[in-house]
Amino acid sequence: MNKVIIIGHSQTTATDVEECLEKSGMNPPRPSRRERLLPKEITRSLCSAYQIPPAGNLTDEADFQQIPADPLWNDLPLDLTLGNVGQGLWGWADTQAIFCLEYWSSFDSKTVFALIYDEPHHSLSESMLYEAAEPDETRLRFLLDNWTAYNGALLRFFLRNPDRCLLANARQILAAPDFFLSELEKLGSSISPSPSSPNIPASSRSMPPMPKTPALQDALAVHTVDPDAAMTSLRAEAAESFILDHVLSDKTACLQMYDELQANAHFPLPAFKPTADRGAAAWLALIAQRRATCATITQLHNERFLLITQLHQLQEEFEKFYLKDKRWQKPVSISRDGRCSEAADRVKQQLSYKVGKTVVEKSRTPGGCLSMPFALAKVISAHRRQLRKSPGKKLQPIQTSADAAEADRIKNQLSYRVGNVLVKHGAKPLSWLKLPFLIHREYRDFHASRNKVSKPTSRPS
């Protein structure tokens, strides 16, 4: 035996088993030598050629027809085998391979099949959890029918080919992957497997974990130092298991199929033994979920209210100093004392430059974005104190300074341009709504101008 194909109804569970067996010594497949195709790509090509729909779209066991072992396609598995010469034990997981069992088995007598299944509770919960669409009763019935039909086809293949298949509950494999690999090797050597793997506790029933998206993790971290504990509360596993038992209680075909899988499996899952206080545990889990949800929503609302308050304060500061800043920048008459070189420093002392520089610097990190309102308020306050020290000071126009070109260059920097937009429109409440779009346009125009190749111009003689 040198090739293992892992097949199960849930692609997520099959992938978990695949990764677990790889850690225990199974090598992943290499691409085929000539076509550079991986096994899953070969399966997809066969299904496309025979117009086979995705396995998740079928609800009748009779629809899971096997693709015929046509000699036309023999080059594909041969090319794959040549690409994996010297690999030792190698294999892959593929839910869609349920249609290609006869195809793979007829080509190579050394190929063995790891047929895996799980409780309908776990598969149903996983499907509902990771689907984007809103769940409803029609979808629930469809998922259960699909699970029953798929596993029925899997079981029929096992009963026809018991000498080349190991039928096992996925959680048993995950509990003892080394032992399971050794049993697969026995199967490939025509030695009967010995189903004596360590059993997981009969009283446990785990549901798939919630997807840990970064946004969800960040939201939970707002109100607790232990996001994992909050995630567990939101999962309400005890309540879900309790409710699913009642949901499946009248799904006779689904439960009968699971019983058949358990009865024929080399490594069945120990029967679940419900405890007397499951109802109380389910209720407590729902209460913990409700409290975690309320705490998260309340904290997020408080954070939003605080941010809006800070933005209003910032708007008031803009309104107070807008006219003062305009008066401070007002050009005056040209001095007769000669040209000075202070234009660049004067531009950097303007509120537009200070505000824009703060926005650009703080926007580089998430923490900086959160502290930006405080930093801007500090900059405006410091600018106000500076204006009080020299309220009526007259200065030369910037254009008459020796470094006027440097001042123009600073005005074309992103910091000054962004700050100028904020100072110009921040004092008007109606214009405040347009600020994000105006700032985005400044960013776009700035980067567009940097990408242009400037052409040298000849100076007049």
Side-chain angles (χ1 to χ4, degrees):
M1 184 273 295
N2 64 346
K3 187 192 307 178
V4 179
I5 304 179
I6 305 165
I7 300 143
H9 172 258
S10 167
Q11 183 61 50
T12 303
T13 303
T15 301
D16 290 342
V17 171
E18 178 186 34
E19 293 175 353
C20 192
L21 293 182
E22 286 179 357
K23 292 179 181 178
S24 296
M26 184 184 77
N27 295 309
R30 298 170 183 164
S32 58
R33 187 179 61 176
R34 185 179 66 252
E35 302 294 340
R36 310 303 298 170
L37 294 175
L38 289 171
K40 287 186 180 181
E41 294 171 331
I42 295 176
T43 299
R44 299 303 181 270
S45 298
L46 291 170
C47 291
S48 177
Y50 286 92
Q51 298 182 345
I52 302 296
N57 292 352
L58 304 177
T59 57
D60 191 335
E61 184 180 332
D63 294 333
F64 286 88
Q65 297 293 330
Q66 291 295 305
I67 292 175
D70 194 320
L72 175 66
W73 303 97
N74 283 353
D75 288 346
L76 293 178
L78 176 60
D79 193 28
L80 178 67
T81 301
L82 292 176
N84 286 272
V85 170
Q87 272 264 71
L89 174 62
W90 58 284
W92 71 93
D94 188 3
T95 296
Q96 194 71 5
I98 185 70
F99 301 104
C100 305
L101 297 172
E102 299 289 352
Y103 172 80
W104 289 109
S105 64
S106 64
F107 176 77
D108 186 357
S109 60
K110 293 184 179 181
T111 301
V112 296
F113 300 89
L115 309 180
I116 62 174
Y117 67 95
D118 210 333
E119 288 183 289
H121 304 68
H122 189 282
S123 297
L124 183 62
S125 179
E126 180 184 89
S127 299
M128 289 291 194
L129 185 62
Y130 289 95
E131 285 187 346
E134 289 293 328
D136 54 29
E137 292 187 10
T138 302
R139 184 61 179 166
L140 186 148
R141 287 193 298 270
F142 176 86
L143 291 172
L144 291 177
D145 291 342
N146 174 251
W147 183 93
T148 304
Y150 186 101
N151 284 286
L154 201 71
L155 180 60
R156 303 310 163 223
F157 178 79
F158 169 75
L159 295 176
R160 293 194 303 269
N161 303 273
D163 56 331
R164 301 183 60 182
C165 303
L166 269 184
L167 181 62
N169 186 282
R171 292 171 59 197
Q172 289 285 52
I173 301 175
L174 296 175
D178 295 335
F179 179 84
F180 186 73
L181 269 184
S182 67
E183 295 302 298
L184 284 173
E185 292 175 355
K186 290 181 183 179
L187 188 67
S189 304
S190 301
I191 302 175
S192 299
S194 53
S196 58
S197 63
N199 286 330
I200 58 179
S203 59
S204 65
R205 172 182 287 159
S206 64
M207 296 297 166
M210 292 185 69
K212 293 185 177 181
T213 60
L216 180 59
Q217 290 289 87
D218 292 343
L220 293 177
V222 168
H223 81 283
T224 177
V225 295
D226 191 356
D228 290 334
M231 188 79 75
T232 300
S233 298
L234 290 174
R235 189 68 185 86
E237 186 172 352
E240 184 169 3
S241 176
F242 182 78
I243 294 172
L244 281 175
D245 276 345
H246 288 274
V247 170
L248 295 170
S249 61
D250 60 343
K251 305 300 186 291
T252 308
C254 183
L255 296 178
Q256 286 180 349
M257 178 53 63
Y258 181 71
D259 291 339
E260 285 190 58
L261 292 167
Q262 286 280 86
N264 288 280
H266 291 91
F267 305 103
L269 185 71
F272 178 73
K273 298 178 180 179
T275 57
D277 59 347
R278 287 189 70 211
W283 179 74
L284 292 174
L286 286 176
I287 291 298
Q289 181 189 64
R290 182 181 301 175
R291 294 178 63 180
T293 303
C294 292
T296 303
I297 293 174
T298 301
Q299 186 64 28
L300 290 176
H301 172 75
N302 292 338
E303 291 290 330
R304 175 180 174 273
F305 179 78
L306 178 62
L307 179 60
I308 291 176
T309 302
Q310 293 169 352
L311 289 176
H312 280 304
Q313 292 174 352
L314 180 61
Q315 182 185 4
E316 291 176 0
E317 294 292 332
F318 272 122
E319 291 172 352
K320 287 180 181 178
F321 303 116
Y322 175 70
L323 294 177
K324 290 183 179 180
D325 183 70
K326 293 292 289 183
R327 180 173 57 83
W328 186 73
Q329 297 182 45
K330 185 177 179 180
V332 295
S333 60
I334 300 175
S335 173
R336 298 178 179 272
D337 297 335
R339 302 175 69 192
C340 59
S341 300
E342 60 179 9
D345 291 335
R346 285 170 57 188
V347 171
K348 292 182 179 180
Q349 293 302 317
Q350 293 179 9
L351 183 60
S352 296
Y353 181 84
K354 294 178 181 178
V355 168
K357 183 179 179 181
T358 302
V359 170
V360 172
E361 291 178 349
K362 291 294 183 180
S363 63
R364 293 172 181 169
T365 62
C369 291
L370 293 176
S371 62
M372 187 182 298
F374 304 100
L376 289 175
K378 185 177 180 181
V379 167
I380 294 173
S381 179
H383 185 75
R384 178 181 60 183
R385 291 195 297 270
Q386 183 179 358
L387 288 178
R388 287 176 178 174
K389 290 180 181 179
S390 55
K393 186 178 179 180
K394 294 184 178 181
L395 299 172
Q396 276 186 324
I398 289 179
Q399 292 79 4
T400 64
S401 299
D403 59 343
E406 176 66 15
D408 290 338
R409 188 188 67 82
I410 294 175
K411 287 184 177 181
N412 284 323
Q413 290 180 355
L414 182 61
S415 298
Y416 187 91
R417 294 172 67 166
V418 171
N420 195 42
V421 170
L422 287 170
V423 170
K424 183 177 179 180
H425 297 277
K428 302 176 183 179
L430 294 179
S431 299
W432 212 53
L433 298 175
K434 300 187 294 184
L435 276 177
F437 306 99
L438 296 172
I439 292 175
H440 174 72
R441 186 172 65 183
E442 284 298 328
Y443 268 90
R444 183 191 60 198
D445 294 344
F446 172 76
H447 289 292
S449 63
R450 290 187 61 184
N451 293 331
K452 290 182 180 179
V453 179
S454 60
K455 295 183 180 179
T457 57
S458 60
R459 301 182 63 180
S461 58

